[in-house]
């Protein structure tokens, strides 16, 4: 049990009705989970408003209500806490409820459009190899040292974050690497957390269904660095035009990494092959198993982070050479017919462009590059024609298909992608709405030595159609299809 006044520490309270000496069993923002002596925090979400469920929460046993507007009738024996922002209040209360677990380990946040999952996951991998107990909070999964939990959001809600950080404290975790999304920052899910470092990857077109302008999207990302403490480090991509913006107002120690410009952590690509990269990082050469310029940036960010956290440079280079690719991030197989199939999460124009450029840089041009790509429903529509244009321009054949259509008609999404295809590229595209059939068609079209890219879903093992998630795994389908064709 906690006492209410203790978990309200640092919460900006505008008005109070009732006692703060209440014993608190738990915190919830979902009224369905409320039990006796719980606190209910009313959150205004995109789908529903928690303020509409205050009476239900009280009926189930809530003795404290945190809200931004008092109900018209206040019930006896219930404490009402009025705050300006219930998201921020929940974040601080969650940290206090779990005894501020982020202060008992070294927490590093990674933000940007692309590369967050790869950097966070490979930092987890590297520090595990270095002998530390490590935690991971990512799009793909949550790891408490060796114990794995399913992830539902890139940045979970603040209660979930603190719950797992507390579990990491119990497991003796030394470091935790966490993806920090723009949604998570904007919805104050990271408030009340103590970060020892922040990493900025890059910024490109994404989430403009949520953020009204690109400027707001950029500024939300920047605000993460604005609130880093002076004891932390802020590591930013010096080659990204928004890299310097991220560091403008931070109190943290400023560090940069780059391939093209002067930086604290500098790399040169000496070799770029399908089997890996030869990099020169700060005058030392290292061979790594990941490929492509985008992965050179990711590895440089990992190197810089590890150095800032106190690891020795030559040891970090040795560990970099041992890192394996992350699930659904440029994950590839080579079939018996010598057809290379690559599965990648690329679901933004910039990410798709990077992956296709990487493939085109290492291929001989004597083979076909066949790309299977779709766009998600109920998400940023502006990127659809851009991605259709990139796929058709940089591939020998592009199959436009469904991704997670959600509540939209997949045919409509595909038509919007087709709108971006240049006239000279019409002959290069096929439209196959069923994603499984699209992947099978790509395999049937491929000849020995050809390359197939299946973009957009990566690590996801489902497809969401009309609110229903069905089992769907790009890698499993392409592997099975190529094996069947080989027989």
């Amino acid at each position: 049990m906690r006492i209410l006044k203790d978990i309200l520490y640092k919460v900006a309270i505008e008005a109070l009705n009732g006692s703060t000496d209440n014993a608190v069993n738990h915190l919830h923002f979902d009224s369905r989970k409320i039990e006796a002596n719980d606190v209910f925090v009313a959150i205004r979400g995109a789908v529903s408003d928690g303020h509409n469920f205050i009476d239900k929460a009280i009926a189930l046993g809530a003795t404290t209500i945190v809200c931004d507007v008092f109900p018209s009738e206040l019930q006896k024996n219930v404490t009402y806490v009025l705050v300006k922002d219930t998201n921020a209040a929940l974040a601080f209360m969650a940290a206090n409820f779990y005894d501020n677990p982020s202060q008992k380990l070294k927490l590093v946040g990674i933000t940007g459009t692309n590369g967050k999952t790869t950097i966070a996951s490979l930092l987890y991998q590297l520090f595990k190899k270095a002998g530390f107990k490590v935690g991971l909070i990512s799009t793909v999964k949550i790891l408490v040292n060796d114990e794995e939990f399913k992830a539902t959001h890139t940045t979970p809600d603040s209660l979930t974050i603190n719950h797992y950080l507390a579990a990491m404290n119990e497991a003796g975790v030394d470091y935790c690497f966490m993806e920090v999304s723009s949604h998570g920052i904007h919805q104050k899910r990271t408030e009340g957390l103590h970060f020892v470092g922040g990493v900025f990857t890059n910024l490109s077109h994404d989430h403009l269904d949520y953020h009204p302008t690109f400027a707001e999207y950029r500024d939300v990302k920047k605000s993460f660095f604005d609130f880093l403490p002076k004891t932390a480090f802020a590591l930013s991509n010096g080659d990204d035009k928004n890299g310097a913006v991220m560091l403008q107002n931070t109190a943290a120690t400023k560090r940069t990494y780059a391939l093209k410009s002067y930086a604290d952590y500098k790399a040169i690509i000496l070799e770029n092959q399908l089997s890996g990269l030869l990099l020169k990082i700060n005058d030392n050469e290292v061979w790594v198993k990941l490929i492509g310029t985008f992965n050179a940036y990711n590895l440089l960010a990992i190197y810089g982070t590890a150095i800032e956290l106190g690891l020795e440079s030559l040891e970090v280079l040795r560990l970099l050479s041992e890192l394996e690719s992350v699930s659904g991030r440029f994950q590839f197989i080579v079939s018996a017919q010598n057809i290379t199939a690559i599965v990648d999460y690329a679901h933004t124009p910039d990410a798709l462009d990077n992956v296709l450029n990487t493939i085109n840089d290492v291929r001989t041009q004597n083979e076909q590059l066949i790309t299977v790509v779709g766009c998600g429903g109920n998400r940023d529509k502006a990127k659809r024609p851009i991605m259709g244009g990139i796929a058709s321009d940089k591939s020998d054949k592009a199959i436009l298909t469904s991704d997670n259509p959600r509540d939209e008609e997949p045919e409509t999404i595909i038509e919007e992608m087709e709108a971006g295809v240049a006239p000279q590229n019409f002959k290069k595209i096929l439209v196959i709405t069923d994603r499984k059939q699209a992947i099978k068609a790509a395999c049937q079209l491929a000849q020995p030595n050809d390359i197939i890219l299946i973009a957009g879903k990566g690590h996801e093992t489902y497809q969401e159609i009309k609110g229903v998630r069905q089992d769907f795994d790009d890698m499993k389908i392409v592997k099975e299809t190529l094996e069947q064709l080989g027989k």
Side-chain angles (χ1 to χ4, degrees):
M1 283 281 188
R2 300 280 194 274
I3 303 301
L4 179 58
K5 63 184 176 185
D6 295 332
I7 66 171
L8 288 173
Y9 179 61
K10 290 189 177 181
V11 174
I13 299 172
E14 300 203 325
L16 181 69
N17 186 283
S19 173
T20 59
D21 291 323
N22 301 346
V24 172
N25 178 44
H26 213 295
L27 303 177
H28 289 295
F29 59 91
D30 183 342
S31 61
R32 294 168 295 184
K33 296 180 179 180
I34 291 290
E35 295 179 356
N37 298 316
D38 282 352
V39 176
F40 176 63
V41 184
I43 301 291
R44 297 186 189 276
V47 178
S48 62
D49 183 353
H51 290 77
N52 296 328
F53 300 94
I54 289 174
D55 288 342
K56 179 184 176 183
I58 293 171
L60 289 171
T63 51
T64 302
I65 302 296
V66 179
C67 50
D68 58 35
V69 175
F70 275 160
S72 55
E73 291 185 21
L74 303 184
Q75 297 192 29
K76 291 180 180 179
N77 302 318
V78 174
T79 298
Y80 295 86
V81 183
L82 186 71
V83 298
K84 186 175 182 179
D85 187 332
T86 51
N87 283 296
L90 177 64
F92 283 111
M93 292 173 75
N96 292 330
F97 183 83
Y98 285 103
D99 200 19
N100 294 291
S102 63
Q103 295 180 9
K104 298 169 187 173
L105 46 70
K106 292 183 177 178
L107 178 64
V108 177
I110 299 99
T111 194
T113 304
N114 302 308
K116 296 188 296 296
T117 301
T118 297
I119 292 171
S121 300
L122 293 183
L123 277 167
Y124 169 88
Q125 207 182 114
L126 186 146
F127 275 74
K128 283 285 285 182
K129 289 177 180 291
F132 295 99
K133 290 186 175 181
V134 194
L136 173 70
I137 300 175
S138 79
T139 304
V140 179
K141 56 192 168 186
I142 295 170
L143 289 165
V144 178
N145 203 25
D146 295 318
E147 193 173 0
E148 183 175 327
F149 302 90
K150 190 175 181 181
T152 55
H153 295 82
T154 299
T155 307
D157 65 81
S158 50
L159 271 173
T160 302
I161 292 170
N162 283 280
H163 166 78
Y164 283 114
L165 289 175
M168 291 177 199
N169 289 167
E170 288 183 22
V173 163
D174 305 294
Y175 298 90
C176 176
F177 301 102
M178 174 179 170
E179 289 187 54
V180 179
S181 67
S182 61
H183 291 68
I185 300 167
H186 189 255
Q187 294 171 12
K188 310 292 175 68
R189 297 180 207 163
T190 55
E191 294 276 338
L193 299 179
H194 178 74
F195 289 91
V196 300
V199 180
F200 170 70
T201 63
N202 49 66
L203 207 66
S204 63
H205 188 122
D206 198 19
H207 298 310
L208 297 189
D209 55 320
Y210 181 85
H211 301 285
T213 64
F214 185 83
E216 187 199 274
Y217 176 50
R218 177 200 64 212
D219 292 345
V220 167
K221 294 281 190 189
K222 177 181 176 294
S223 69
F224 172 71
F225 296 92
D226 292 348
F227 291 103
L228 285 177
K230 63 182 180 181
T231 52
F233 68 86
L235 177 62
S236 185
N237 182 349
D239 287 341
D240 189 282
K241 62 183 180 182
N242 292 291
V245 175
M246 298 297 143
L247 301 181
Q248 279 176 354
N249 303 110
T250 188
T253 300
K254 300 175 183 180
R255 294 285 186 263
T256 55
Y257 65 96
L259 296 180
K260 300 172 185 174
S261 50
Y262 174 80
D264 299 291
Y265 301 105
K266 173 86 176 180
I268 299 169
I269 298 174
L270 301 176
E271 290 183 32
N272 184 8
Q273 303 172 12
L274 202 54
S275 55
L277 284 167
L278 180 61
L279 299 174
K280 189 174 185 180
I281 300 178
N282 285 12
D283 298 323
N284 289 298
E285 292 186 12
V286 60
W287 175 264
V288 294
K289 299 173 187 176
L290 283 73
I291 77 165
T293 302
F294 65 96
N295 269 325
Y297 279 106
N298 292 338
L299 289 161
L300 199 48
I302 292 162
Y303 175 84
T305 300
I307 300 299
E308 293 299 320
L309 290 173
L311 272 62
E312 195 274 324
S313 60
L314 291 179
E315 174 67 359
V316 175
L317 290 171
R318 182 186 71 79
L319 294 168
L320 284 180
S321 70
E322 297 179 1
L323 297 180
E324 303 284 349
S325 63
V326 178
S327 173
R329 268 64 179 179
F330 215 93
Q331 195 177 7
F332 69 91
I333 58 165
V334 180
S335 75
Q337 312 97 293
N338 205 33
I339 295 168
T340 300
I342 301 164
V343 171
D344 193 90
Y345 188 52
H347 63 289
T348 67
D350 190 55
L352 182 62
D353 194 48
N354 283 337
V355 171
L356 286 169
N357 285 341
T358 294
I359 296 168
N360 283 317
D361 284 345
V362 298
R363 61 186 283 218
T364 65
Q365 305 299 324
N366 293 319
E367 67 286 282
Q368 285 190 108
L369 170 55
I370 305 167
T371 298
V372 178
V373 65
C375 287
N378 305 113
R379 297 292 187 269
D380 186 356
K381 294 185 177 184
K383 69 183 181 184
R384 293 172 185 174
I386 303 170
M387 291 184 69
I390 291 169
S392 59
D393 194 47
K394 300 200 171 183
S395 312
D396 297 299
K397 282 189 175 64
I399 302 176
L400 306 185
T401 188
S402 61
D403 189 292
N404 290 319
R406 298 184 178 88
D407 296 322
E408 288 194 66
E409 294 299 328
E411 292 82 4
T412 303
I413 298 171
I414 294 168
E415 284 174 12
E416 291 175 2
M417 293 181 71
E418 280 187 277
V421 178
Q424 66 270 24
N425 291 329
F426 284 157
K427 63 181 182 296
K428 293 163 65 174
I429 67 166
L430 289 172
V431 172
I432 302 176
T433 305
D434 185 295
R435 189 175 181 91
K436 187 172 185 178
Q437 295 306 317
I439 294 170
K440 286 186 173 183
C443 295
Q444 290 164 348
L445 288 168
Q447 300 296 315
N449 301 316
D450 284 353
I451 299 170
I452 301 168
L453 170 65
I454 304 167
K457 289 177 60 60
H459 66 281
E460 292 178 351
T461 54
Y462 65 86
Q463 188 173 30
E464 187 175 334
I465 303 171
K466 301 295 183 186
V468 178
R469 288 193 173 190
Q470 304 167 359
D471 289 344
F472 198 99
D473 187 327
D474 283 353
M475 180 57 81
K476 183 179 178 182
I477 292 167
V478 72
K479 193 182 290 186
E480 289 176 352
T481 305
L482 288 173
E483 284 174 1
Q484 289 168 2
L485 290 172
K487 293 174 184 175

